[in-house]
Amino acid sequence: VQLQASGGGLVQAGGSLRLSCAASGGTFSRYVMGWFRQAPGKEREFVAAISWRGVSTQYADSVKGRFTISRDNAKNTVHLQMNSLQPEDTAVYYCAADPNGSFWHLSHSLHEYDYWGQGTQVTVSS
């Protein structure tokens, strides 16, 4: 499975960005999809995850109410709508696929995601 993330950029605090991740190869509709981020000098952390059909989602506490994950299985894409962005959201954002996840198990652990995109930079200025 190849994942290609896009949509990052520079935005002022309070602004919005929409990240996209296009998948090719594999069976996209059977993968739990996740977004992670990594700020300079920090470990990669969980942001959001979505089940196969998009019925179940989970979010890190730091982004609840501001970020929304969605997917379009017909287009093999997953999105992350980010609103009310703050400087602390500055990071490289990665999409990832977990072939072993399910509706009942949306992992927050990066170790359970087998496939990763290349990352897209999000910078939020104050």
Side-chain angles (χ1 to χ4, degrees), residues 19 34-48 62-63 67 80 82 87-95 110-111 116-124:
L19 305 184
W35 285 97
F36 291 76
R37 67 186 182 186
Q38 188 166 18
K42 295 188 177 181
E43 295 185 351
R44 194 170 298 188
E45 64 176 5
F46 171 79
V47 174
S62 59
V63 307
F67 291 11
L80 186 68
M82 306 186 296
E88 52 265 35
D89 295 316
T90 295
V92 177
Y93 283 71
Y94 299 88
C95 59
L110 60 89
H111 301 293
W116 291 84
Q118 86 288 1
T120 184
Q121 176 71 47
V122 171
T123 303
V124 185

Short mmCIF file of all heavy atoms in Angstrom, two decimals, residues 19 34-48 62-63 67 80 82 87-95 110-111 116-124:
data_model
loop_
_atom_site.label_atom_id
_atom_site.label_comp_id
_atom_site.label_asym_id
_atom_site.label_seq_id
_atom_site.Cartn_x
_atom_site.Cartn_y
_atom_site.Cartn_z
N LEU A 19 -6.23 18.26 5.23
CA LEU A 19 -5.24 17.32 4.74
C LEU A 19 -5.93 16.17 4.01
O LEU A 19 -7.03 15.76 4.39
CB LEU A 19 -4.40 16.76 5.89
CG LEU A 19 -3.70 17.78 6.78
CD1 LEU A 19 -2.84 17.05 7.81
CD2 LEU A 19 -2.89 18.77 5.98
N GLY A 34 -5.40 6.19 9.98
CA GLY A 34 -5.07 7.10 11.07
C GLY A 34 -4.24 8.27 10.60
O GLY A 34 -3.61 8.23 9.53
N TRP A 35 -4.28 9.32 11.39
CA TRP A 35 -3.40 10.46 11.22
C TRP A 35 -2.56 10.60 12.48
O TRP A 35 -3.09 10.49 13.60
CB TRP A 35 -4.18 11.75 10.99
CG TRP A 35 -4.78 11.88 9.63
CD1 TRP A 35 -6.05 11.58 9.25
CD2 TRP A 35 -4.13 12.37 8.45
NE1 TRP A 35 -6.24 11.84 7.92
CE2 TRP A 35 -5.07 12.32 7.40
CE3 TRP A 35 -2.84 12.84 8.17
CZ2 TRP A 35 -4.77 12.74 6.10
CZ3 TRP A 35 -2.54 13.24 6.88
CH2 TRP A 35 -3.50 13.19 5.87
N PHE A 36 -1.29 10.82 12.30
CA PHE A 36 -0.35 11.08 13.37
C PHE A 36 0.39 12.37 13.06
O PHE A 36 0.35 12.85 11.93
CB PHE A 36 0.66 9.92 13.50
CG PHE A 36 0.06 8.65 14.01
CD1 PHE A 36 -0.72 7.85 13.18
CD2 PHE A 36 0.26 8.23 15.31
CE1 PHE A 36 -1.29 6.66 13.65
CE2 PHE A 36 -0.28 7.06 15.79
CZ PHE A 36 -1.06 6.27 14.96
N ARG A 37 1.06 12.92 14.06
CA ARG A 37 1.86 14.10 13.82
C ARG A 37 3.12 14.05 14.65
O ARG A 37 3.17 13.42 15.71
CB ARG A 37 1.07 15.37 14.11
CG ARG A 37 0.71 15.57 15.57
CD ARG A 37 -0.20 16.79 15.71
NE ARG A 37 -0.55 17.04 17.11
CZ ARG A 37 -1.42 17.97 17.50
NH1 ARG A 37 -2.03 18.73 16.60
NH2 ARG A 37 -1.67 18.14 18.78
N GLN A 38 4.13 14.74 14.16
CA GLN A 38 5.41 14.80 14.87
C GLN A 38 5.96 16.20 14.80
O GLN A 38 6.27 16.71 13.72
CB GLN A 38 6.40 13.81 14.27
CG GLN A 38 7.68 13.68 15.08
CD GLN A 38 8.51 12.47 14.66
OE1 GLN A 38 8.33 11.90 13.59
NE2 GLN A 38 9.42 12.05 15.52
N ALA A 39 6.06 16.82 15.98
CA ALA A 39 6.64 18.15 16.09
C ALA A 39 8.15 18.03 16.29
O ALA A 39 8.63 16.99 16.75
CB ALA A 39 6.00 18.90 17.25
N PRO A 40 8.90 19.07 15.97
CA PRO A 40 10.37 19.01 16.14
C PRO A 40 10.75 18.64 17.56
O PRO A 40 10.25 19.23 18.52
CB PRO A 40 10.81 20.42 15.78
CG PRO A 40 9.76 20.93 14.87
CD PRO A 40 8.47 20.33 15.36
N GLY A 41 11.62 17.66 17.70
CA GLY A 41 12.11 17.26 19.01
C GLY A 41 11.14 16.43 19.83
O GLY A 41 11.42 16.12 20.98
N LYS A 42 10.01 16.07 19.24
CA LYS A 42 9.01 15.30 19.97
C LYS A 42 8.73 13.98 19.27
O LYS A 42 9.04 13.81 18.09
CB LYS A 42 7.72 16.10 20.11
CG LYS A 42 7.85 17.35 20.96
CD LYS A 42 6.50 17.99 21.21
CE LYS A 42 6.62 19.19 22.13
NZ LYS A 42 5.29 19.82 22.40
N GLU A 43 8.14 13.07 20.00
CA GLU A 43 7.78 11.79 19.43
C GLU A 43 6.53 11.94 18.56
O GLU A 43 5.72 12.84 18.75
CB GLU A 43 7.54 10.76 20.54
CG GLU A 43 8.79 10.42 21.35
CD GLU A 43 8.54 9.33 22.36
OE1 GLU A 43 7.37 8.95 22.56
OE2 GLU A 43 9.52 8.84 22.95
N ARG A 44 6.40 11.00 17.63
CA ARG A 44 5.21 10.98 16.81
C ARG A 44 4.01 10.61 17.68
O ARG A 44 4.08 9.68 18.49
CB ARG A 44 5.38 9.97 15.68
CG ARG A 44 4.35 10.09 14.57
CD ARG A 44 4.71 9.24 13.37
NE ARG A 44 5.99 9.65 12.78
CZ ARG A 44 6.46 9.18 11.63
NH1 ARG A 44 5.75 8.27 10.95
NH2 ARG A 44 7.63 9.59 11.17
N GLU A 45 2.90 11.35 17.50
CA GLU A 45 1.75 11.12 18.35
C GLU A 45 0.47 10.93 17.53
O GLU A 45 0.33 11.45 16.42
CB GLU A 45 1.55 12.30 19.32
CG GLU A 45 1.23 13.61 18.66
CD GLU A 45 0.94 14.72 19.68
OE1 GLU A 45 1.08 14.49 20.89
OE2 GLU A 45 0.54 15.82 19.23
N PHE A 46 -0.45 10.21 18.14
CA PHE A 46 -1.74 9.94 17.52
C PHE A 46 -2.58 11.21 17.44
O PHE A 46 -2.60 12.02 18.38
CB PHE A 46 -2.47 8.89 18.35
CG PHE A 46 -3.90 8.66 17.96
CD1 PHE A 46 -4.21 7.87 16.86
CD2 PHE A 46 -4.93 9.23 18.68
CE1 PHE A 46 -5.53 7.65 16.49
CE2 PHE A 46 -6.25 9.02 18.34
CZ PHE A 46 -6.55 8.22 17.24
N VAL A 47 -3.29 11.34 16.32
CA VAL A 47 -4.20 12.47 16.14
C VAL A 47 -5.64 11.98 16.00
O VAL A 47 -6.53 12.40 16.74
CB VAL A 47 -3.81 13.31 14.92
CG1 VAL A 47 -4.85 14.41 14.66
CG2 VAL A 47 -2.43 13.92 15.09
N ALA A 48 -5.87 11.08 15.05
CA ALA A 48 -7.23 10.61 14.78
C ALA A 48 -7.19 9.29 14.03
O ALA A 48 -6.20 8.98 13.36
CB ALA A 48 -8.01 11.65 13.98
N SER A 62 -6.33 16.44 22.53
CA SER A 62 -5.85 17.77 22.15
C SER A 62 -6.53 18.32 20.89
O SER A 62 -6.46 19.52 20.64
CB SER A 62 -4.34 17.74 21.94
OG SER A 62 -4.00 16.80 20.93
N VAL A 63 -7.17 17.46 20.12
CA VAL A 63 -7.78 17.92 18.86
C VAL A 63 -9.29 17.72 18.83
O VAL A 63 -9.94 18.15 17.87
CB VAL A 63 -7.14 17.24 17.64
CG1 VAL A 63 -5.63 17.39 17.66
CG2 VAL A 63 -7.53 15.78 17.54
N PHE A 67 -10.75 18.99 15.05
CA PHE A 67 -10.37 18.19 13.89
C PHE A 67 -11.44 17.16 13.59
O PHE A 67 -12.08 16.62 14.50
CB PHE A 67 -9.05 17.45 14.14
CG PHE A 67 -7.82 18.32 14.23
CD1 PHE A 67 -7.89 19.70 14.32
CD2 PHE A 67 -6.56 17.73 14.23
CE1 PHE A 67 -6.76 20.49 14.40
CE2 PHE A 67 -5.41 18.49 14.31
CZ PHE A 67 -5.51 19.89 14.40
N LEU A 80 -8.36 14.91 6.79
CA LEU A 80 -8.35 15.46 8.14
C LEU A 80 -8.65 16.95 8.03
O LEU A 80 -7.81 17.72 7.55
CB LEU A 80 -7.00 15.23 8.81
CG LEU A 80 -6.93 15.65 10.28
CD1 LEU A 80 -7.81 14.73 11.13
CD2 LEU A 80 -5.49 15.64 10.80
N MET A 82 -8.97 20.33 9.72
CA MET A 82 -8.42 20.93 10.93
C MET A 82 -8.89 22.37 11.04
O MET A 82 -8.56 23.20 10.18
CB MET A 82 -6.89 20.86 10.89
CG MET A 82 -6.35 19.46 10.66
SD MET A 82 -4.56 19.37 10.77
CE MET A 82 -4.08 20.39 9.40
N PRO A 87 -0.74 27.31 17.32
CA PRO A 87 0.69 27.08 17.08
C PRO A 87 1.17 25.71 17.54
O PRO A 87 2.07 25.13 16.93
CB PRO A 87 1.36 28.21 17.87
CG PRO A 87 0.34 29.33 17.84
CD PRO A 87 -0.99 28.64 17.94
N GLU A 88 0.55 25.19 18.58
CA GLU A 88 0.96 23.87 19.08
C GLU A 88 0.55 22.73 18.16
O GLU A 88 0.95 21.58 18.36
CB GLU A 88 0.41 23.62 20.49
CG GLU A 88 -1.07 23.84 20.63
CD GLU A 88 -1.40 25.25 21.12
OE1 GLU A 88 -0.69 26.21 20.74
OE2 GLU A 88 -2.40 25.38 21.86
N ASP A 89 -0.23 23.03 17.13
CA ASP A 89 -0.57 22.03 16.12
C ASP A 89 0.51 21.92 15.04
O ASP A 89 0.43 21.05 14.17
CB ASP A 89 -1.91 22.38 15.45
CG ASP A 89 -3.08 22.30 16.41
OD1 ASP A 89 -3.16 21.33 17.20
OD2 ASP A 89 -3.92 23.23 16.37
N THR A 90 1.50 22.79 15.09
CA THR A 90 2.58 22.75 14.12
C THR A 90 3.33 21.43 14.20
O THR A 90 3.79 21.03 15.28
CB THR A 90 3.55 23.92 14.35
OG1 THR A 90 2.87 25.15 14.09
CG2 THR A 90 4.76 23.81 13.43
N ALA A 91 3.42 20.74 13.08
CA ALA A 91 4.06 19.43 13.04
C ALA A 91 4.05 18.91 11.61
O ALA A 91 3.38 19.49 10.73
CB ALA A 91 3.32 18.44 13.94
N VAL A 92 4.76 17.83 11.40
CA VAL A 92 4.59 17.06 10.18
C VAL A 92 3.49 16.05 10.44
O VAL A 92 3.53 15.32 11.43
CB VAL A 92 5.89 16.35 9.77
CG1 VAL A 92 5.66 15.49 8.52
CG2 VAL A 92 7.01 17.36 9.52
N TYR A 93 2.51 16.03 9.55
CA TYR A 93 1.36 15.14 9.71
C TYR A 93 1.51 13.96 8.76
O TYR A 93 1.79 14.13 7.56
CB TYR A 93 0.07 15.90 9.43
CG TYR A 93 -0.34 16.79 10.58
CD1 TYR A 93 0.38 17.95 10.87
CD2 TYR A 93 -1.43 16.47 11.38
CE1 TYR A 93 0.02 18.76 11.94
CE2 TYR A 93 -1.80 17.28 12.44
CZ TYR A 93 -1.07 18.42 12.72
OH TYR A 93 -1.43 19.22 13.78
N TYR A 94 1.27 12.78 9.32
CA TYR A 94 1.41 11.54 8.56
C TYR A 94 0.08 10.78 8.55
O TYR A 94 -0.59 10.68 9.58
CB TYR A 94 2.45 10.63 9.20
CG TYR A 94 3.85 11.19 9.27
CD1 TYR A 94 4.27 11.96 10.35
CD2 TYR A 94 4.76 10.93 8.24
CE1 TYR A 94 5.55 12.48 10.41
CE2 TYR A 94 6.05 11.44 8.30
CZ TYR A 94 6.43 12.21 9.38
OH TYR A 94 7.71 12.72 9.42
N CYS A 95 -0.26 10.23 7.40
CA CYS A 95 -1.37 9.29 7.36
C CYS A 95 -0.80 7.87 7.42
O CYS A 95 0.35 7.63 7.01
CB CYS A 95 -2.23 9.47 6.12
SG CYS A 95 -1.39 9.26 4.54
N LEU A 110 1.26 3.97 17.11
CA LEU A 110 1.84 4.00 15.78
C LEU A 110 2.42 2.64 15.39
O LEU A 110 2.56 2.35 14.20
CB LEU A 110 2.90 5.09 15.68
CG LEU A 110 4.11 5.02 16.63
CD1 LEU A 110 5.24 4.21 16.02
CD2 LEU A 110 4.63 6.42 16.94
N HIS A 111 2.71 1.81 16.37
CA HIS A 111 3.33 0.51 16.08
C HIS A 111 2.35 -0.47 15.43
O HIS A 111 2.77 -1.48 14.88
CB HIS A 111 3.89 -0.09 17.37
CG HIS A 111 4.92 0.78 18.02
ND1 HIS A 111 6.14 1.03 17.45
CD2 HIS A 111 4.88 1.49 19.16
CE1 HIS A 111 6.84 1.84 18.24
NE2 HIS A 111 6.09 2.15 19.28
N TRP A 116 2.72 3.81 5.90
CA TRP A 116 2.83 5.22 6.22
C TRP A 116 3.05 6.06 4.97
O TRP A 116 3.77 5.63 4.05
CB TRP A 116 4.01 5.44 7.18
CG TRP A 116 3.76 4.87 8.54
CD1 TRP A 116 3.95 3.58 8.94
CD2 TRP A 116 3.25 5.58 9.66
NE1 TRP A 116 3.59 3.44 10.26
CE2 TRP A 116 3.16 4.65 10.74
CE3 TRP A 116 2.87 6.90 9.89
CZ2 TRP A 116 2.70 5.00 12.00
CZ3 TRP A 116 2.41 7.24 11.15
CH2 TRP A 116 2.32 6.31 12.19
N GLY A 117 2.45 7.24 4.98
CA GLY A 117 2.73 8.21 3.95
C GLY A 117 3.99 8.99 4.29
O GLY A 117 4.59 8.80 5.35
N GLN A 118 4.36 9.91 3.43
CA GLN A 118 5.62 10.62 3.58
C GLN A 118 5.52 11.82 4.49
O GLN A 118 6.55 12.37 4.87
CB GLN A 118 6.12 11.08 2.19
CG GLN A 118 5.58 12.41 1.70
CD GLN A 118 4.12 12.35 1.30
OE1 GLN A 118 3.44 11.32 1.39
NE2 GLN A 118 3.61 13.47 0.84
N GLY A 119 4.34 12.23 4.86
CA GLY A 119 4.18 13.37 5.73
C GLY A 119 3.98 14.67 4.99
O GLY A 119 4.48 14.86 3.87
N THR A 120 3.23 15.57 5.61
CA THR A 120 3.00 16.90 5.05
C THR A 120 3.12 17.91 6.19
O THR A 120 2.60 17.70 7.28
CB THR A 120 1.63 16.99 4.34
OG1 THR A 120 1.48 18.26 3.72
CG2 THR A 120 0.46 16.74 5.28
N GLN A 121 3.84 18.98 5.95
CA GLN A 121 4.14 19.96 6.99
C GLN A 121 2.97 20.91 7.21
O GLN A 121 2.44 21.49 6.26
CB GLN A 121 5.38 20.77 6.61
CG GLN A 121 5.73 21.89 7.58
CD GLN A 121 6.26 21.37 8.90
OE1 GLN A 121 7.13 20.49 8.94
NE2 GLN A 121 5.75 21.91 10.00
N VAL A 122 2.60 21.07 8.46
CA VAL A 122 1.60 22.06 8.87
C VAL A 122 2.28 23.03 9.83
O VAL A 122 2.85 22.62 10.84
CB VAL A 122 0.39 21.40 9.55
CG1 VAL A 122 -0.53 22.45 10.15
CG2 VAL A 122 -0.36 20.52 8.56
N THR A 123 2.24 24.30 9.49
CA THR A 123 2.84 25.33 10.33
C THR A 123 1.78 26.36 10.66
O THR A 123 1.15 26.93 9.76
CB THR A 123 4.02 26.01 9.62
OG1 THR A 123 4.99 25.01 9.26
CG2 THR A 123 4.67 27.03 10.53
N VAL A 124 1.58 26.59 11.95
CA VAL A 124 0.58 27.55 12.41
C VAL A 124 1.31 28.69 13.09
O VAL A 124 2.02 28.50 14.08
CB VAL A 124 -0.41 26.90 13.38
CG1 VAL A 124 -1.51 27.89 13.76
CG2 VAL A 124 -1.02 25.64 12.77
#
